[in-house]
Amino acid sequence: MGQAPSSPSSSHDDALGSDDATGAGNRFAVQPVTPHLKAKGATLVLEVDALGFRLLKPRTLDAINAFGWGEIHSWLHSPGRFSFRFYEEKSQSIVEYNFKLQHLDELLASMEVFIEAVMSQRKAKAISDTEFEQLLEQLEQTIPADRAARISTAAQFCFFTSLQVCTDHAVQF
């Protein structure tokens, strides 16, 4: 993924790598295109890790903003450019951040590694097909007003797969 810098003030034209001592994700120098981000600096650091994205100050690596994978609405890229959209609670709208960067392929590869790790963890916690069938049987025997609470309780302990949710055995609410 990029070379680890010798210090936080390494060349901003390079992928900044990661800091294994702190458990940080992979860092990339980015130049904001979004007007209000430009006010934060001509160059920022975009960190990608198992939790999502963080925008950091380049010299101190202090966090400016954090975006969990679940908050990120979508992302897109073109040569030398990357943008992502997220829901901003304050404005109650979808906001888009745009950046220029030199190491787009490394950024995308890093994102893929972390997303695959998250998906693997979730798959490991997925309810088995047998347990899912048992849950469906329980739901069929439960009054409709109590079904959502049962599903909510089950979801606290495991994940459902899309194949399970999109089954022909759907329970009516």
Side-chain angles (χ1 to χ4, degrees), residues 7-9 12 43 45 56-62:
S7 72
S9 60
H12 296 299
T43 299
V45 175
L56 308 172
K57 295 178 182 178
R59 294 188 200 275
T60 64
L61 298 180
D62 290 337

Side-chain angles (χ1 to χ4, degrees), residues 78-97:
S78 61
R81 295 218 176 216
F82 179 77
S83 65
F84 67 93
R85 296 166 41 138
F86 63 95
Y87 180 76
E88 184 178 64
E89 189 70 38
K90 185 172 83 175
S91 67
Q92 295 189 352
S93 64
I94 301 292
V95 175
E96 185 172 322
Y97 281 177

Side-chain angles (χ1 to χ4, degrees), residues 1-4 15-18 26-28 103 105-114:
M1 307 246 166
Q3 299 293 321
L16 300 177
S18 66
N26 295 313
R27 297 179 183 139
F28 302 89
H103 296 278
D105 290 341
E106 290 91 341
L107 170 66
L108 296 174
S110 180
M111 289 170 57
E112 184 176 359
V113 166
F114 286 116

Side-chain angles (χ1 to χ4, degrees), residues 50 116-126 159:
E116 286 297 323
V118 169
M119 294 306 297
S120 292
Q121 290 172 351
R122 289 186 178 183
K123 286 177 185 175
K125 293 180 181 178
F159 290 98

